[in-house]
Amino acid sequence: MRTYLVVDIGNTSTSVGYYRNGKVSGVGRCPSRFKSLDEVVPLLGVRPVDAVVVASVVPPVNARWKKAFKAAGLPAPLFVSHELELGVPVDYPRPQRIGADRLANAAAAVRLLGMPSVVCDFGTALTFDILDPRRGYKGGIICPGLPLMFDYLAEKTALLPHVAPSKTKAVVGRNTEQAMQIGARLGYRGMVREILAALRADFGVAHLPVCCTGGYAGWIFKDWDVEAVIDSKLTLRGIGIIGELNA
């Protein structure tokens, strides 16, 4: 049974883990735009692996990461793209423009939930990827992410502070920070609910399986009546599945 080093290169940070037989372990993080190989090589060479599979949404740093893999004594990496076997067909006008992380999420969601299904990724942007039983990956929806909401309010107003998501069950804020927290949580839930309702109507189904990942998925879905599978390792899992399919 093969072991894969799975790497998810994002705009700010990179997640690295090990995939074997459907499971992801040993996850670590580092900057995507590292300055020295010493910053990442110790993270890469922890375990022996059979292959390296990478999903990158930052093409300018790919050459730097290739040097890091070589310095760690690892095999040449396989980069996720629409041209690989994904376990799901891609019916999209310009498939080369689909982010590699979104392809990985789709591969994992199909394995976990089948089709039809939807993947919600709560990151810097909130993305929805739609998987159709006849057409496979057919497109998505992109919304501003929670970090952008908080950053924009702080940057564009004189009196609103910079806050981060925090737990609150209140409906009416008793101070500025709490009011912002409530607005973000309830507003985001309303947006997600409306989008999922539109997708169910589009598919003509009463129930549409949903899989969520990203740092803010738990904050949004905790104690909520909308059912979803939350998997913080979904992207790395999908990268590993793609590695298996293209071994």
Side-chain angles (χ1 to χ4, degrees):
M1 193 166 293
R2 292 164 66 90
T3 299
Y4 299 84
L5 180 71
V6 286
V7 184
D8 177 21
I9 302 176
N11 287 296
T12 302
S13 64
T14 291
S15 297
V16 178
Y18 295 88
Y19 175 91
R20 181 180 175 86
N21 193 30
K23 298 181 180 180
V24 177
S25 61
V27 178
R29 297 178 72 87
C30 62
S32 294
R33 294 173 173 83
F34 59 88
K35 296 180 180 179
S36 168
L37 292 177
D38 293 336
E39 295 180 57
V40 296
V41 168
L43 182 65
L44 300 176
V46 177
R47 305 181 195 175
V49 299
D50 298 292
V52 178
V53 192
V54 181
S56 173
V57 297
V58 195
V61 306
N62 289 352
R64 191 181 311 179
W65 276 94
K66 288 179 182 179
K67 291 180 181 178
F69 298 136
K70 186 175 181 179
L74 294 167
L78 173 69
F79 281 84
V80 172
S81 79
H82 70 282
E83 297 176 333
L84 298 181
E85 174 58 50
L86 305 174
V88 55
V90 177
D91 181 9
Y92 196 74
R94 299 176 69 180
Q96 68 274 15
R97 300 192 65 179
I98 305 172
D101 56 340
R102 298 177 72 178
L103 294 174
N105 286 345
V110 168
R111 180 75 63 90
L112 292 172
L113 301 177
M115 296 185 285
S117 56
V118 176
V119 181
C120 306
D121 192 340
F122 291 84
T124 304
L126 166 59
T127 61
F128 296 79
D129 292 299
I130 291 80
L131 306 173
D132 183 280
R134 296 183 305 276
R135 299 164 60 184
Y137 183 102
K138 74 172 193 176
I141 299 167
I142 301 176
C143 308
L146 276 168
L148 295 179
M149 176 185 291
F150 287 123
D151 291 345
Y152 191 83
L153 285 173
E155 291 171 6
K156 298 300 181 180
T157 61
L159 297 179
L160 294 181
H162 192 284
V163 299
S166 179
K167 296 178 181 179
T168 177
K169 293 184 178 181
V171 177
V172 178
R174 299 285 286 171
N175 56 58
T176 301
E177 290 81 0
Q178 188 182 42
M180 294 172 68
Q181 298 285 357
I182 296 168
R185 190 169 190 181
L186 295 184
Y188 243 69
R189 283 183 167 183
M191 180 172 65
V192 172
R193 191 189 296 274
E194 185 68 17
I195 289 172
L196 293 178
L199 290 172
R200 287 194 297 270
D202 188 58
F203 275 115
V205 297
H207 175 69
L208 182 61
V210 177
C211 190
C212 296
T213 192
Y216 300 102
W219 189 70
I220 291 294
F221 277 87
K222 182 177 176 57
D223 302 323
W224 196 20
D225 61 349
V226 174
E227 182 181 350
V229 173
I230 300 176
D231 185 351
S232 62
K233 301 175 182 177
L234 186 75
T235 307
L236 292 177
R237 195 183 313 280
I239 295 170
I241 290 169
I242 293 170
E244 287 178 331
L245 293 172
N246 294 272

